[in-house]
Amino acid sequence: MLAVNPSLAPKPRPTLPVPIKVLIADDSAVVRGLVARWIGEAGFTVVGTASNGRIAVEMMTRHDPDVVLLDIDMPELDGTEALPRMLAASPTVQVVMMSTLTTRNADISLKCLALGAVDYLAKPESNRGVTTSDAFRAELVERVRLFGAARARRRGPAPAPIAPGTPTSPSLSSAPPATAPRPSAPIVLRPKARAVTPRVFLVGASTGGPRAVGEMLEKIGAATLRRVPILIVQHMPPIFTAVFAEHLATRTGLTAAEGKSDERLEPGRIYVAPGGRHMGLTGGPGREPVIRLDDGPLVNFCRPAVDVLFKDAATLFGPATLSVVLTGMGSDGTHGARALVEAGGAVLAQDEATSTVWGMPGSVAKAGLAQAVLPLPEIGLALRALLTGQGA
């Protein structure tokens, strides 16, 4: 057998991070220029800018972007018309809708989420507002980072350029990175809560939530939902939450609206936390629980915050509380979920595979606070069983 000098043996090719490719579609040249600059400064690659939806759709096949920032109002082909064509061209592309904060645009944005957009971003009302808003810039960059990384991971790392003369072979060219990703820690489920008939049903969600919440409630069914009041904290700006409630009312056939201070809880009614305000509960011995709203500090960088509602419910309803944490970035809901399980309540969480972002439900699951971690299609069925006393 011939001896082989180890220094001459072919080595696995190093890998480089896959660049996140972004396409910007907006009829304002000022917005396109600013956003392109911000994206570039954040280390992402702008593969194209388009002044209308037609041009943007044509760019899809040429550039295969990971993320599309898609304005709603554009000439020739607007965002709502361009969206389905983009998804047809590239089913995995991550489309973030952008619009100014109006009731009309909130309604359109929510419809686009139902059609396959992954998120929405409220734009300042003027070009000057876009120029001076640090918050808008930070939110935009964070969404590109989040959704771009999610899509890029599916493609795997990009190989580094091969130096001339480097030995190669089919087996080496497809070798995995030298450093494999660490396996995730196993999820430990909490024992099922003691069988108590739920008196209230709580929902917490963020990114990807509007579509997930609607699908889940539909799966539970109106007949079952009429047994309890349903309180929802969905991270959204003002105006959007009121429109979101209207969409839920249409989808479920139940009465749904933003919660109001001192409003009594009625079975079969959906209460949505108003954008920009915390929604909790107040009550006490001999007093019926009612909704409370406040403008207190951000909790987990959020207002409304899931933790606020969950903690109040733990105090007032204890083991008669049923809750679920759905898709969303961050960890809002984890402290509240801990309070709920310590009070004897039940917490379920959406699984990673069906979550747009496995931040909030992942945090709850990894903390060992969920009695079940389920894909979205199964969560509604599990909740229906618990609400009807069949899931004990």
Side-chain angles (χ1 to χ4, degrees):
M1 181 180 294
L2 294 174
V4 178
N5 184 340
S7 66
L8 299 178
K11 296 178 176 60
R13 290 162 57 190
T15 56
L16 297 175
V18 176
I20 294 172
K21 299 183 293 181
V22 184
L23 172 62
I24 302 162
D26 196 295
D27 63 340
S28 166
V30 173
V31 172
R32 292 197 306 274
L34 275 173
V35 170
R37 193 185 80 200
W38 296 340
I39 296 300
E41 289 175 351
F44 310 126
T45 301
V46 177
V47 293
T49 63
S51 59
N52 62 56
R54 179 185 58 77
I55 297 172
V57 170
E58 291 172 356
M59 288 181 170
M60 289 294 297
T61 52
R62 284 207 307 273
H63 300 299
D64 186 29
D66 298 304
V67 179
V68 177
L69 301 173
L70 183 61
D71 188 25
I72 287 177
D73 292 312
M74 293 184 292
E76 293 194 48
L77 197 70
D78 65 22
T80 58
E81 296 170 312
L83 174 63
R85 302 185 191 191
M86 289 178 168
L87 293 173
S90 178
T92 61
V93 69
Q94 309 288 288
V95 181
V96 178
M97 306 304 298
M98 299 198 302
S99 67
T100 52
L101 204 55
T102 66
T103 300
R104 170 186 170 273
N105 286 342
D107 182 60
I108 292 172
S109 294
L110 288 171
K111 288 176 180 175
C112 287
L113 291 178
L115 291 173
V118 293
D119 207 359
Y120 50 85
L121 185 59
K123 286 196 304 184
E125 293 186 6
S126 66
N127 286 343
R128 187 176 187 281
V130 172
T131 305
T132 59
S133 177
D134 292 335
F136 174 67
R137 176 177 181 171
E139 286 186 50
L140 185 147
V141 168
E142 179 58 26
R143 278 165 171 77
V144 171
R145 188 184 314 280
L146 182 75
F147 296 123
R151 186 173 190 260
R153 276 196 301 270
R154 298 189 192 121
R155 293 202 312 251
I162 303 173
T166 302
T168 62
S169 73
S171 61
L172 289 176
S173 65
S174 59
T179 305
R182 294 182 195 170
S184 301
I187 300 299
V188 178
L189 297 180
R190 189 174 187 81
K192 288 186 177 180
R194 183 166 54 90
V196 175
T197 302
R199 292 173 51 209
V200 67
F201 175 40
L202 313 177
V203 181
S206 184
T207 312
R211 183 166 49 176
V213 171
E215 289 182 17
M216 177 197 67
L217 294 179
E218 213 168 43
K219 205 80 168 181
I220 295 172
T224 300
L225 290 170
R226 288 192 178 97
R227 294 168 176 257
V228 291
I230 304 105
L231 286 80
I232 299 173
V233 173
Q234 165 68 53
H235 296 162
M236 274 183 170
I239 300 177
F240 272 75
T241 44
V243 176
F244 177 51
E246 292 173 5
H247 280 234
L248 292 180
T250 300
R251 189 157 190 174
T252 63
L254 302 175
T255 300
E258 290 182 325
K260 298 180 176 62
S261 288
D262 299 321
E263 187 174 9
R264 292 172 52 190
L265 302 183
E266 297 179 14
R269 185 179 179 93
I270 299 172
Y271 305 85
V272 175
R277 306 198 74 189
H278 289 307
M279 183 174 78
L281 297 166
T282 186
R287 292 174 55 206
E288 196 172 9
V290 296
I291 288 177
R292 69 174 183 85
L293 300 178
D294 71 63
D295 303 313
L298 302 180
V299 176
N300 304 312
F301 308 101
C302 304
R303 189 173 58 227
V306 179
D307 275 342
V308 171
L309 176 62
F310 279 19
K311 287 179 179 179
D312 283 357
T315 301
L316 294 174
F317 290 96
T321 308
L322 175 61
S323 66
V324 63
V325 179
L326 300 177
T327 175
M329 68 175 74
S331 61
D332 187 28
T334 301
H335 295 303
R338 190 177 302 282
L340 284 173
V341 299
E342 288 175 353
V347 180
L348 281 70
Q350 186 174 352
D351 74 347
E352 184 172 10
T354 62
S355 293
T356 303
V357 181
W358 206 54
M360 288 166 50
S363 178
V364 168
K366 292 171 186 175
L369 300 171
Q371 70 176 48
V373 179
L374 299 169
L376 184 61
E378 296 179 23
I379 285 181
L381 299 177
L383 290 165
R384 184 201 301 167
L386 290 167
L387 286 166
T388 56
Q390 300 170 22

